[in-house]
Structure formats: structure tokens, C-alpha cells
Amino acid sequence: MATKYVEKKGKFFVPTKAAKEESLAPQDIYKRAKADRVKLWGELARDGLSWAKPWSKTYEQTSNGFGWFVGGKLNLCYNAVDRHLNNPDQTAIIFVPEDVNEKPQYISYFELYKQVNQAAALLKEKGVKKGDVVAIYLPMIPEALIFMLACARIGAIHSVVFSAFSADALKTRIEDGGAKVLVTANYYSRKGKKVELEKDADKAITGMQVTKIVVDRAKSGKMFEGKADVIVKPEVMESEDIALLLYTSGTTGKPKGVMHAVGGYTVQAYYTSRFVFNLKPGEVMWCTADIGWITGHTYACYGPLLNGATTVIFEGLPNHPTPDRFMQIIEQQKVNVFYTAPTALRMFALEGSDYAKKYKMESLKILGSVGEPIDEKTWMWFFDNIGKGRCPVIDTYWQTETGSAVIMSLPGHGPFIPTYAAVTFPGIEFDVFDEKGKKVPNGKEGILMEKPPYSPALIRGVWKNEERYKKYFVGKLYNAEDNAIMDKNGRFRILGRADDVIKVAGHRLSTAEIEDAIDGLKGVVEAVIVGKNDALRGVVPVAFVKTKGDITEEQVVGKVIERIGPIAKPAEVYFVEDIPKTRSGKMMRRVLRALLHGEDAGNIMTLINPECVNKIKAQVEAKHPELKNVKPVDSKAAPVGKKEDKKK
Ligand code: PRX
């Protein structure tokens, strides 16, 4: 019988004796963190990783920033690959192609070492030096990891761009990062069809001085086969050197390049994988996130490899060709840790529970959720049907900016409570504040912020944009821009973004970026994007567009796909006479959001154009007659919301 790691105690789920015994996070870890968290991180970093030179200062806070393990030297690739060569046959990567007829590949640490060295030599041959930016636009194939590790080996900064982003989106990111080399693939497989990625890559770099490296998908995992072995010495990096750049969406139309430092990122990726997923050398972790997102970076690549574990890289979609594909992979590859997003789980749950009964999935130990709030029904479905009531569901909260998971329940500590992301990782301290940085009493909603000493992997800067970086801080607090409540027991519930970022199927998108894309269409006067709740994808973008002239829905959707990619396409488009605005010109997303959800829009007397609201309401109801019961908007009631929306 498979081991049970969780049991019910009153209203909660708690770790069993077996889970406590197996726990890699010592039982006194929170106590140690409370006593002195800088000291704790210092001890963890020293014991867990290989340093070329010890640091002189564990944590340093200056007027314009902070640093961890200052003066220390290390190499991320060395820690993730070379360090495990004493166990050379251990599998590092399991590559599962989308086509069920194409055999999975098992790449050992020794094989990975050889390939990473080849890739590093190739990058050097193309002129890449320490500190240079390399753009990686690859699907979920081993080379995505191999080239990331190769960059880390030679001290280059990788900027991975999600392969489903459009050529335009790739171009913006290459230009901003100043990448001189782009690594891409000729194609990949999506639902049985070839997606010709290289064509988009070519379009993106037309007219630019960028050298292209193309991986032949047909040879993936074997790209360097037959080549004479080479060894590229790992570059000794300062702890505070920049390891990677990853573009993410904010409140403006332009994505921002989030920078992470080598030392802090390596330490936190290592320890969160070890303590949150209890990942032991040789265990198999499948993080379903694409490598183009931070979750893919930290838990499909660096975290498992830093721990000498095995990472599953799956090219396809988890429900293709059949809805149980992901369960087959869990069984076939004996996955121990399965980490995915609520959207995927809602999609699986839609198929019912019967199909899950065919699979025992006895290898599973820990289940994880990330990217958006997970509702109780989905949590329970995951727990019952995938974990068979044996495995804890760990709801992990974090962001591109935090580099690794920061709020969760540890598997040997618990408790595991649906809809609670629980407590901060030992050594990190978040709390709930108002917009000015004043502590909000427990039980009241506020904004999640981190107190210094900041966590080692916290964002070190925004690429070429110091001003934007400063905006992350409210006094001495790092502002995560998420609404949250801390209950009386000190446990967090994360409620969703406090800014104009939306999470569509767990993907982070900026409403301003989508609006800018639509604004780019000739004949559009202005556009506003509002997130609408969706049973499957969490939130979907809905566009309200004011035009002069004839514009079709297809044109609007087409423009968004062209500028960003299919993930950002509006689910609904309303052509409106006017967009509700305040006297100061701020667009009232709040009013539109209320109309979309059939809620009372409240008072609209602060608007300059209140008459447009009932017209839009009628348009929404024409599409959704089920929303008709709500009373017409009353222009004399209390003012709408406290916070106004973006100024146009
Ligand atoms: O709003 C929060 C949500 O995802 C945002 C970060 O998105 P991104 O930078 O793309 O990183 C995603 C993966 C770490 C957060 O600001 N979010 C992430 N995890 C959770 C969550 N919301 C609720 N619960 C979570 N567990």
C-alpha cells in the first residue's frame, strides 16, 4: 500500500507521522527562522551549495538596494549539473514528446553535463561573453534547459520568451534586453500539428543584428550527438551578478525585465524545492509550467537539478490526445511531485472523476498548485482524484519577482487548508498592509508586502529601468501588489491582484498591453480591457472598444494575437459609444467589471459620461440574457469604489 502523507484532523489536513519523518525541512526550522533569519539563510546556503569563495557578508542593505552572500562566488550551472557527477547515471531530465509514438528520452546527469558544455561552447563561438543577454525562444524540449544551463555556465544572462508569444512580443523582449543571440527551434508539436516556431523567430529579428541558433526538433535531446567532447570551465560569478532576466507584465503596456541575482536565486531555488516539495536526489518532479514562465525556470529546471532530482519535460498539452494523458505520464514516469496550475486542474475536473479511477498513481507524494487562487472544489478534486487522499495539496504563492515560492505549508509541517496559501517560507516575512505601508489588522483585507531583510531571490532590478524598480517599494516594504487577508492564526489567503494585471489561465497579462495592441488598430479611438471571471481559465480578458469607422471583432482579436499571442485574445468584444470615465479621465474598469458579472455598478455620479453605462449594460445583457435581473444603474447612490482606474 502506498504511504499516506496526510490525514484529516478536525477541519484541517495535517501531515502524518510518515510525512514528518520524511520531512527534509527540520521540525525546528520556523523557530530557527524566527530567531535570526539572516543567520538561517547563511547556514542553509553554506550547507546546501558549492561556493567557489565564501561570502564576507550574509546580507547587506544599502540605501538603493540589498545583497545576499556579498563577496561570495559560485556558478549556478556547476551547482545544478557538475555537482552531481558523482552519480553520473542518475536521470536528470525525462523528455516526454507530445506524440505518444515517440519514445520518452532519459538524459542522465553525465549526458546533460556533456550537452551543456557543448551548448556553452557554441554560445561562446557565437561571441557570447559573461554579462551578455541570450534570448531563448524554445518549446518544452531538453534544449530549453540545456541552453539555460549553458548561459549560466558562461555567465551569460538568459532571457527566455514563452514560445506561444507572438513574433512581435519576442521582438519587444529582444530589443529591450539587447540580446545578440537568439536560440530557437525549427518547429514543435502541438495537438499533432507542427508549429513552425522559427518563422516567428525570423519575423522578430528581421532587420536586427541577432545571431540565430536553431535546434532541429527532430534531433532534440541529441543535438550534439557525434561531436567531440568539449569542456567549458564554469565562470566564477559574484553572488550579486545577474543570473537571469525574465520579462513579465505590469501595469503599463511595456513588459518589464525582472532581474535575479545568482547567489540568492540559487539558494532559494534549491531550498524551496527541497523543503516545499521535499525533493530528494533521484526523485521525479513534474512541474507542468512552460519554461517561458518563472515557474518553469525554478521548478522545471533549476530547483530539481540543484537537488540532484529528475525533472519531467513534456512537450504537449496534458489533455492531449486524451484527457488522461497527464495521469499516464505520472504513472509511466513514476512522478513523485506533481506541480500544476488551478486552470489545468479545473480542465481535468471537467472530465469528471471516473477516468481518474483507472490510475493509482502510487508514486505520488506531494501535489502542488500555483499561479492563481485555487478554489476549494478544485483543491478537493485534486486531493481526492490525483492524490487519492494520500498526498498534501500545497498551494504555493509567489511571483516572477520573488523568484521562488514564498508562501505555502511545508509538507512535513502543515496544516493544508483549501483556499489558504498559509504561511511564509521560513526565513521570509510577508504581511498585509494598506497602500501607504501601514499594517492592516488580521482578518482585514489589504496588500501583501514583504518586510526586510528581503528574501534572497527577490527581484534585484528591472532591466534598464531603475525608476520602475523603485516603484516596487513602499518605504522599506516590497509591494507584491496582491490583495490578501491574514487570519487570526497568521495564515494568508491570497485574493488576487491589486493592480491592472490579470491572470488568464494562470498566465500573467497586463490589461494595458492588450489595450495598447487594440489601440494600434486604425480606427480605434480607445479600448479598455477588463477581466471577467471564467469557470475554466479563472479570468478572461473582455474588450470594450470605442471606434470611428468599421472594425470587426476578428480584427480586434487578430491584432491581440499578432502583438502578444493567442493567450491574450479577448473572449468577448463590445463596440461601445463611450467608455465610462471619471472627470479626471480615468477609465472606470470597476463599473465595466460589475456590468460583466451582472453586479450592481453602484453610483456613477463621479463619471463624466454616466449615460454610456446603461447602454453598455444593455449590450452585455443582449449577449448574456442571464444577467438581466440586476436593477438599472442608479446615478444617485454612493460613489463607486475607492480606487480609480488608469488614466488615459
Ligand atoms: O496574483 C498572484 C498570482 O500570480 C501572480 C504572479 O504571477 P507570475 O509572476 O506570472 O508568477 C506566477 C507563478 C509564480 C501573483 O502576483 N499567484 C501566484 N500564485 C498564487 C497566486 N494567487 C493566488 N494563489 C497562489 N498560490
Side-chain angles (χ1 to χ4, degrees):
M1 262 256 291
T3 313
K4 207 165 154 39
Y5 292 100
V6 67
E7 62 195 1
K8 191 129 199 227
K9 192 172 173 197
K11 280 194 280 179
F12 298 167
F13 295 96
V14 295
T16 56
K17 193 163 161 263
K20 285 186 189 158
E21 279 167 8
E22 275 200 35
S23 176
L24 294 172
Q27 287 300 321
D28 67 350
I29 194 81
Y30 289 103
K31 217 169 104 194
R32 279 165 65 194
K34 211 166 169 199
D36 187 341
R37 56 196 159 113
V38 170
K39 184 165 164 242
L40 173 68
W41 280 115
E43 286 164 3
L44 294 178
R46 186 197 58 212
D47 298 345
L49 297 169
S50 294
W51 294 79
K53 182 177 168 243
W55 54 90
S56 49
K57 216 166 181 191
T58 313
Y59 179 76
E60 183 178 66
Q61 195 155 339
T62 56
S63 57
N64 61 351
F66 64 99
W68 276 94
F69 318 113
V70 183
K73 293 184 191 227
L74 77 166
N75 182 279
L76 172 52
C77 174
Y78 178 86
N79 275 281
V81 183
D82 305 34
R83 211 157 61 109
H84 311 304
L85 290 179
N86 55 352
N87 200 359
D89 299 330
Q90 162 69 49
T91 304
I93 299 175
I94 300 177
F95 171 49
V96 182
E98 185 192 68
D99 183 352
V100 279
N101 298 314
E102 198 180 327
K103 280 207 182 99
Q105 288 178 21
Y106 299 86
I107 300 174
S108 69
Y109 271 94
F110 185 54
E111 186 54 35
L112 179 64
Y113 169 77
K114 289 204 295 189
Q115 296 204 36
V116 167
N117 274 285
Q118 292 281 1
L122 180 59
L123 290 173
K124 282 195 145 187
E125 198 185 299
K126 302 286 181 198
V128 179
K129 293 188 211 61
K130 181 182 172 189
D132 286 348
V133 175
V134 174
I136 298 180
Y137 186 54
L138 283 172
M140 289 298 276
I141 55 175
E143 283 73 15
L145 281 67
I146 291 167
F147 277 96
M148 285 166 75
L149 291 159
C151 287
R153 191 168 194 84
I154 64 172
I157 300 169
H158 58 66
S159 164
V160 183
V161 180
F162 180 40
S163 57
F165 273 142
S166 68
D168 278 8
L170 173 63
K171 184 185 173 72
T172 310
R173 287 157 177 80
I174 293 178
E175 271 173 354
D176 191 82
K180 294 277 176 306
V181 169
L182 166 66
V183 188
T184 189
N186 51 355
Y187 69 91
Y188 65 93
S189 192
R190 187 52 92 241
K191 289 195 175 169
K193 293 206 181 80
K194 276 187 182 175
V195 178
E196 294 182 328
L197 195 64
E198 194 184 347
K199 283 196 177 152
D200 279 336
D202 285 341
K203 205 171 144 206
I205 58 173
T206 304
M208 290 163 84
Q209 289 283 349
V210 176
T211 305
K212 192 175 71 171
I213 296 176
V214 183
V215 179
D216 179 0
R217 165 61 188 88
K219 290 199 190 126
S220 67
K222 300 189 176 76
M223 179 175 173
F224 301 103
E225 215 170 47
K227 287 208 152 199
D229 286 347
V230 286
I231 291 181
V232 176
K233 227 175 120 249
E235 187 79 36
V236 177
M237 304 289 283
E238 293 285 341
S239 173
E240 279 300 313
D241 278 342
I242 295 307
L244 64 98
L245 185 60
L246 184 59
Y247 283 87
T248 191
S249 300
T251 44
T252 67
K254 197 171 166 260
K256 51 194 174 188
V258 172
M259 289 152 65
H260 284 294
V262 183
Y265 179 79
T266 306
V267 170
Q268 216 173 290
Y270 174 79
Y271 271 104
T272 52
S273 303
R274 187 170 159 84
F275 288 173
V276 179
F277 300 114
N278 215 51
L279 200 57
K280 298 177 193 142
E283 286 194 336
V284 181
M285 173 151 185
W286 182 18
C287 161
T288 65
D290 191 277
I291 205 71
W293 304 98
I294 192 71
T295 313
H297 279 53
T298 308
Y299 298 111
C301 178
Y302 292 119
L305 297 178
L306 284 165
N307 280 281
T310 303
T311 180
V312 174
I313 298 298
F314 175 45
E315 182 188 25
L317 298 173
N319 60 349
H320 179 82
T322 51
D324 56 353
R325 180 79 196 269
F326 79 104
M327 296 189 189
Q328 289 166 3
I329 296 175
I330 291 174
E331 287 219 328
Q332 280 161 7
Q333 308 308 339
K334 301 192 174 49
V335 171
N336 303 118
V337 179
F338 181 60
Y339 190 35
T340 195
T343 290
L345 294 168
R346 289 191 291 263
M347 186 174 72
F348 303 146
L350 266 187
E351 301 292 333
S353 304
D354 282 353
Y355 74 125
K357 294 197 178 102
K358 285 197 291 176
Y359 300 88
K360 290 198 178 120
M361 295 177 280
E362 290 190 330
S363 56
L364 285 174
K365 294 180 160 188
I366 288 170
L367 305 174
S369 167
V370 61
E372 34 170 340
I374 178 166
D375 56 280
E376 185 160 3
K377 200 169 134 217
T378 307
W379 196 104
M380 287 309 303
W381 187 91
F382 197 17
F383 181 79
D384 289 334
N385 294 283
I386 310 299
K388 313 288 181 193
R390 285 190 309 108
C391 311
V393 171
I394 309 216
D395 182 4
T396 61
Y397 164 86
W398 57 297
Q399 319 176 292
T400 306
E401 290 86 345
T402 65
S404 89
V406 290
I407 298 179
M408 79 297 287
S409 283
L410 297 181
H413 294 71
F416 316 102
I417 315 168
T419 77
Y420 278 82
V423 294
T424 36
F425 186 83
I428 301 177
E429 201 181 339
F430 275 82
D431 210 329
V432 179
F433 300 88
D434 69 12
E435 280 174 1
K436 296 204 170 85
K438 189 165 161 261
K439 165 97 179 97
V440 163
N442 288 6
K444 288 253 171 353
E445 184 175 334
I447 305 170
L448 196 62
M449 301 195 195
E450 189 186 6
K451 292 188 202 170
Y454 305 113
S455 39
L458 191 69
I459 179 171
R460 288 302 199 281
V462 175
W463 190 253
K464 290 197 234 150
N465 196 341
E466 245 176 77
E467 283 312 303
R468 180 60 195 86
Y469 183 60
K470 283 188 199 147
K471 287 198 185 133
Y472 277 111
F473 296 88
V474 175
K476 285 209 158 58
L477 301 166
Y478 163 76
N479 183 356
E481 285 282 8
D482 272 301
N483 291 318
I485 295 179
M486 185 190 261
D487 74 3
K488 60 179 188 323
N489 299 311
R491 298 193 187 105
F492 292 103
R493 299 191 75 178
I494 314 293
L495 306 170
R497 296 290 303 192
D499 57 9
D500 290 333
V501 166
I502 51 174
K503 299 284 317 218
V504 179
H507 300 317
R508 176 166 162 178
L509 299 170
S510 144
T511 51
E513 204 180 342
I514 309 176
E515 286 159 8
D516 282 0
I518 302 173
D519 286 344
L521 262 179
K522 202 163 167 262
V524 167
V525 178
E526 60 184 351
V528 57
I529 291 288
V530 175
K532 179 182 174 184
N533 296 342
D534 182 83
L536 192 61
R537 289 189 285 165
V539 169
V540 290
V542 171
F544 294 86
V545 188
K546 181 176 170 182
T547 65
K548 54 171 198 283
D550 285 339
I551 289 182
T552 63
E553 180 160 344
E554 286 69 41
Q555 282 175 293
V556 170
V557 171
K559 195 72 185 169
V560 175
I561 295 176
E562 178 195 318
R563 291 284 301 276
I564 306 169
I567 48 164
K569 72 179 183 198
E572 294 173 21
V573 179
Y574 293 95
F575 292 102
V576 297
E577 273 177 26
D578 219 352
I579 287 171
K581 282 188 184 165
T582 62
R583 286 189 182 86
S584 57
K586 288 172 184 173
M587 302 201 291
M588 292 304 284
R589 283 201 181 79
R590 198 177 311 279
V591 169
L592 295 170
R593 207 175 293 128
L595 297 180
L596 276 180
H597 293 96
E599 290 161 5
D600 189 348
N603 175 285
I604 52 169
M605 79 193 168
T606 53
L607 304 185
I608 35 162
N609 49 1
E611 64 292 342
C612 72
V613 176
N614 275 327
K615 286 189 189 156
I616 299 176
K617 184 171 186 298
Q619 283 179 275
V620 172
E621 286 172 356
K623 227 177 231 182
H624 298 282
E626 73 279 7
L627 300 177
K628 262 193 181 145
N629 302 330
V630 181
K631 63 180 175 47
V633 172
D634 170 12
S635 60
K636 292 186 192 70
V640 179
K642 326 176 240 359
K643 212 171 104 182
E644 289 178 330
D645 294 277
K646 189 182 90 169
K647 190 168 186 164
K648 268 264 159 164

